Amino acid sequence: MSPLERAEANFAWKLVLPTIAVLSLLILYPLLYNIYLSFFDVQLNGDKAFVGLGNYTKLLANPDYYSAIGTTALYLLGTVVGTTLLGLAMALLLKDPFPGRGLVNAAIMLPYVAPVISVVFGWQFLFDPISGVFNYLMVDVLHIWTERVNLIGDPDSALGVVILFDIWKHAPIAYMLILSKLVSIPRDQYEAASIDGYGPVGRFFHVTLPELHFVLATVILLRLIWNLNRFEDVYLLAPNVQTLPIFTYYQAFTGVIDQGLAAATSVIQLGVLCVFIWFYIKKVMKW
Amino acid sequence: MLGKRTIKGRIGFAFAVVMLVCFSLLPFAQILSTSLKHQFDWGNPSLIPQALNLNAYKELLGLTEVKKVEIPVAIQKILDNPKLPQDKKDAIAAKYVANDNLFPFGKYMLNSIMFSVGAAFISLIFAVMGAYAISRLRFKGQVVIQRSVLFVYMVGGVLLMVPLYQMAMNIGLASTMWGSVVCLFLIYIVQTLPVGMYMLGNYFRGIPFALEEAAMMDGCSRTEAIIKVVLPLSLPMLATVFIYCFIIGWNEYLFASVFLKQYPEFHTLPLALQELFVSKNAIWDRIMAASMLTLAPIVVCFLFASRFMKGGKTDGGVKG
């Protein structure tokens, strides 16, 4: 290694050191500490008693845990499919320039950047049994339902609202990712397909979709990674929908507090997350 | 997709776009509308209020008149005592000021600003240093660090809440008010640092190295070259990253609720709004007005940032 290279490496280490320090201390170390905690009975005030695999056996014997896994699976399925399809539809619709496109873009990005805490109240009001527009539509205008229903109050229907909310909030990112790939597809590929006799639908399946293959996989993987640990959107809109993060939160901080059990839940979840992230780093990453 | 050359195609296209925009904006319209309505008007499905009601905003922004509370004669005598130091007089008098402002919105907003702006600023400094090293310099372990940053970027807060809380408890920080504030501040820094590094790393790579090289040939050191050449060129991206980190902090609820729940004087807006919603003081117009005011800074920031996001707009579109 030449002195110049060594000087460069030294300089680089000086620059990344603060980052490495905080990230190790406040993310990597806690993840390991979490595994340690999962073998203890942990009190809120920090008292611990070793219980071995006790937390895990307790967790696996808890029917609520399985129901949380089921809810999470439904939530992931609904949001991943919905977000990807809506994002794709938006990208196809808004691909070509038209007057006012900038404004339309800003409008549809707004749900993504807006604070969750604000927009959940808007959604709660829309689905409110007494004053909400949704119930008004279903009961008074369309006469589909005979009486007003508290959709968010009932955990089963609330899951549907939460999924719709998540699609509304995250379709813009899917849209942006898909659009950036869509506009880079060379025009002559479409022309060649036209000459081969494909109509608009045929061109979509023979040119667009194969080209988008990779970016669609990216979108799906990212949705899985982020939504597996999604807490705020679900908890603030409908605290009765118990996906795994909400289940863990309740274990850790409310009612009969059992932080060891919460730690065990997080450890299992981290394992699943690592599989997704491994896929992402292996297949998608473009640093 | 739709053939835009025919009239039918154009109408269909316009209809689809309008529907999409309505779908995106309806909840916002609902918030704005309800915040301006009187109670009798809530059940009215129309978004336009029958009569404008600005009371909720006035109340939140402290524009309503402070009601005078009568000070008992005995207390007034104490206050008139010239020997009493002024600060003690103020302390006593403060107890007799009308305390009907149930929701000190301004204070919560200041807390939110303090946490999110402070964390975003420090995070940006670290991110600039780290991202430059990773994207521009060669050293052993570079790839490992890159991938680790991406990994920690994707670890959700839910997986960290128990161990971070226990760590803070073990060293005694979580049991004091200022300790909890420091913890939350540090957590906001680590929550925003990876995304900042990721965005900036991608951006720095696009700046031609020849520019720095030229500066260094003119006698600048490497550090000077970064400060005089790279940073000015990255100004739009620096602003975007700052705003992005700011938004993450501003919107955060989970850790605020874990660390600050028992310290109302440090509640951030998301925490305060949620507490208001579950409390007996929850009135739709007040909640909606508070939501609107929480939303406003983000919308302004976003409109500002989106002007710069044309070039690398997908760089930031990963988180969330």
Side-chain angles (χ1 to χ4, degrees):
Chain A
M1 204 188 246
S2 75
L4 210 64
E5 281 173 353
R6 188 163 303 142
E8 184 170 315
N10 274 340
F11 183 56
W13 276 108
K14 270 184 208 150
L15 288 179
V16 286
L17 214 58
T19 303
I20 295 179
V22 280
L23 292 185
S24 313
L25 183 70
L26 292 172
I27 295 186
L28 293 179
Y29 175 72
L31 286 178
L32 297 174
Y33 187 54
N34 196 36
I35 299 176
Y36 171 83
L37 284 177
S38 72
F39 298 114
F40 286 83
D41 180 26
V42 187
Q43 301 301 318
L44 204 55
N45 62 9
D47 292 343
K48 297 185 240 335
F50 185 72
V51 291
L53 289 171
N55 285 324
Y56 290 95
T57 50
K58 205 159 60 169
L59 188 63
L60 294 178
N62 185 351
D64 290 347
Y65 181 57
Y66 295 101
S67 104
I69 291 178
T71 310
T72 309
L74 280 176
Y75 173 69
L76 285 179
L77 184 74
T79 53
V80 168
V81 172
T83 311
T84 313
L85 286 183
L86 183 60
L88 179 62
M90 281 154 78
L92 289 171
L93 182 69
L94 303 176
K95 177 178 58 142
D96 301 316
F98 60 90
R101 185 176 164 197
L103 277 178
V104 171
N105 262 333
I108 58 183
M109 284 305 293
L110 213 50
Y112 169 57
V113 290
V116 182
I117 189 73
S118 302
V119 290
V120 289
F121 294 131
W123 277 73
Q124 262 157 357
F125 194 90
L126 285 173
F127 289 98
D128 188 78
I130 301 160
S131 320
V133 173
F134 187 74
N135 268 299
Y136 170 78
L137 271 182
M138 294 304 267
V139 179
D140 298 321
V141 180
L142 300 172
H143 300 290
I144 296 173
W145 294 343
T146 48
E147 56 180 7
R148 289 173 175 250
V149 181
N150 188 355
L151 274 179
I152 293 180
D154 173 38
D156 290 330
S157 53
L159 178 63
V161 178
V162 167
I163 290 173
L164 187 64
F165 173 70
D166 189 273
I167 294 172
W168 173 78
K169 190 159 170 53
H170 295 107
I173 319 176
Y175 156 69
M176 283 212 309
L177 288 169
I178 295 170
L179 184 70
S180 67
K181 177 68 201 165
L182 199 60
V183 294
S184 74
I185 300 175
R187 198 157 275 278
D188 51 1
Q189 287 200 29
Y190 286 105
E191 282 158 15
S194 297
I195 295 168
D196 289 347
Y198 287 116
V201 178
R203 285 202 295 273
F204 173 73
F205 281 103
H206 284 89
V207 181
T208 314
L209 217 48
E211 286 281 332
L212 292 181
H213 198 249
F214 182 73
V215 73
L216 287 178
T218 310
V219 168
I220 291 172
L221 208 47
L222 283 173
R223 293 281 24 98
L224 285 172
I225 289 173
W226 295 125
N227 280 2
L228 179 65
N229 293 315
R230 183 153 314 283
F231 174 79
E232 278 143 10
D233 305 28
V234 182
Y235 178 78
L236 294 177
L237 181 59
N240 52 1
V241 175
Q242 288 216 21
T243 57
L244 281 168
I246 284 91
F247 175 79
T248 315
Y249 181 78
Y250 284 146
Q251 297 284 354
F253 295 104
T254 60
V256 185
I257 287 170
D258 194 339
Q259 294 219 315
L261 197 70
T265 320
S266 317
V267 169
I268 296 175
Q269 223 171 305
L270 178 67
V272 179
L273 181 72
C274 281
V275 175
F276 291 151
I277 295 184
W278 183 82
F279 258 103
Y280 185 76
I281 289 181
K282 267 276 179 260
K283 305 276 176 195
V284 178
M285 197 175 75
K286 45 165 192 210
W287 264 56
Chain B
M1 283 298 282
L2 295 162
K4 258 173 257 173
R5 264 157 251 150
T6 63
I7 294 281
K8 241 191 208 167
R10 274 191 197 174
I11 292 173
F13 173 77
F15 180 73
V17 171
V18 169
M19 287 302 288
L20 188 61
V21 171
C22 286
F23 175 62
S24 299
L25 295 185
L26 176 64
F28 296 101
Q30 183 69 68
I31 296 171
L32 180 63
S33 149
T34 311
S35 74
L36 294 172
K37 279 181 175 178
H38 287 285
Q39 184 157 6
F40 67 83
D41 210 4
W42 290 345
N44 171 14
S46 161
L47 286 173
I48 298 159
Q50 287 169 1
L52 216 54
N53 169 22
L54 290 172
N55 287 340
Y57 287 98
K58 279 186 192 155
E59 188 188 307
L60 289 174
L61 296 173
L63 298 178
T64 43
E65 283 169 45
V66 179
K67 281 182 210 139
K68 280 263 161 71
V69 171
E70 296 224 350
I71 300 175
V73 183
I75 303 293
Q76 190 58 51
K77 267 186 187 162
I78 298 175
L79 286 177
D80 291 338
N81 183 351
K83 283 182 196 160
L84 199 70
Q86 188 58 40
D87 57 327
K88 283 201 178 151
K89 276 185 194 170
D90 292 341
I92 295 170
K95 285 179 189 162
Y96 291 93
V97 172
N99 197 19
D100 67 343
N101 192 359
L102 299 159
F103 192 73
F105 186 84
K107 191 169 82 183
Y108 298 139
M109 191 166 224
L110 269 179
N111 289 341
S112 265
I113 291 174
M114 180 185 82
F115 278 113
S116 41
V117 169
F121 187 70
I122 293 177
S123 187
L124 183 65
I125 294 174
F126 283 10
V128 165
M129 290 160 57
Y132 185 84
I134 279 183
S135 61
R136 269 294 154 79
L137 303 169
R138 268 158 306 166
F139 59 105
K140 263 192 193 145
Q142 194 172 15
V143 178
V144 178
I145 292 176
Q146 268 182 31
R147 295 199 168 180
S148 309
V149 168
L150 196 80
F151 170 74
V152 297
Y153 168 40
M154 292 180 164
V155 172
V158 188
L159 301 179
L160 297 167
M161 65 186 174
V162 173
L164 280 174
Y165 180 78
Q166 286 292 331
M167 283 164 67
M169 208 70 209
N170 289 343
I171 54 173
L173 280 178
S175 44
T176 67
M177 187 174 75
W178 284 104
S180 302
V181 170
V182 170
C183 284
L184 193 67
F185 193 70
L186 286 174
I187 288 170
Y188 281 10
I189 293 174
V190 275
Q191 291 278 308
T192 50
L193 180 51
V195 65
M197 244 174 108
Y198 182 83
M199 290 166 80
L200 278 174
N202 282 342
Y203 190 82
F204 284 161
R205 222 163 274 145
I207 299 175
F209 182 62
L211 293 173
E212 282 161 82
E213 221 172 9
M216 285 191 279
M217 282 190 181
D218 288 345
C220 286
S221 70
R222 186 117 203 185
T223 318
E224 282 171 338
I226 297 175
I227 294 171
K228 288 182 184 160
V229 178
V230 179
L231 292 188
L233 282 174
S234 318
L235 222 48
M237 196 58 186
L238 292 177
T240 309
V241 170
F242 180 82
I243 289 172
Y244 207 77
C245 294
F246 165 75
I247 291 179
I248 293 176
W250 187 265
N251 294 352
E252 208 279 339
Y253 172 82
L254 175 61
F255 283 107
S257 90
V258 169
F259 282 95
L260 294 181
K261 204 153 213 167
Q262 72 252 51
Y263 306 114
E265 55 270 60
F266 277 107
H267 275 189
T268 57
L269 280 173
L271 191 51
L273 254 72
Q274 178 65 9
E275 297 276 300
L276 172 70
F277 183 65
V278 296
S279 77
K280 63 178 174 11
N281 298 320
I283 310 169
W284 276 120
D285 59 347
R286 187 189 286 157
I287 288 177
M288 293 303 193
S291 299
M292 217 51 220
L293 293 174
T294 307
L295 209 99
I298 298 299
V299 173
V300 172
C301 284
F302 165 70
L303 292 177
F304 180 74
S306 64
R307 282 167 48 205
F308 296 125
M309 281 159 89
K310 298 271 154 53
K313 62 181 172 186
T314 53
D315 291 348
V318 191
K319 174 115 189 172

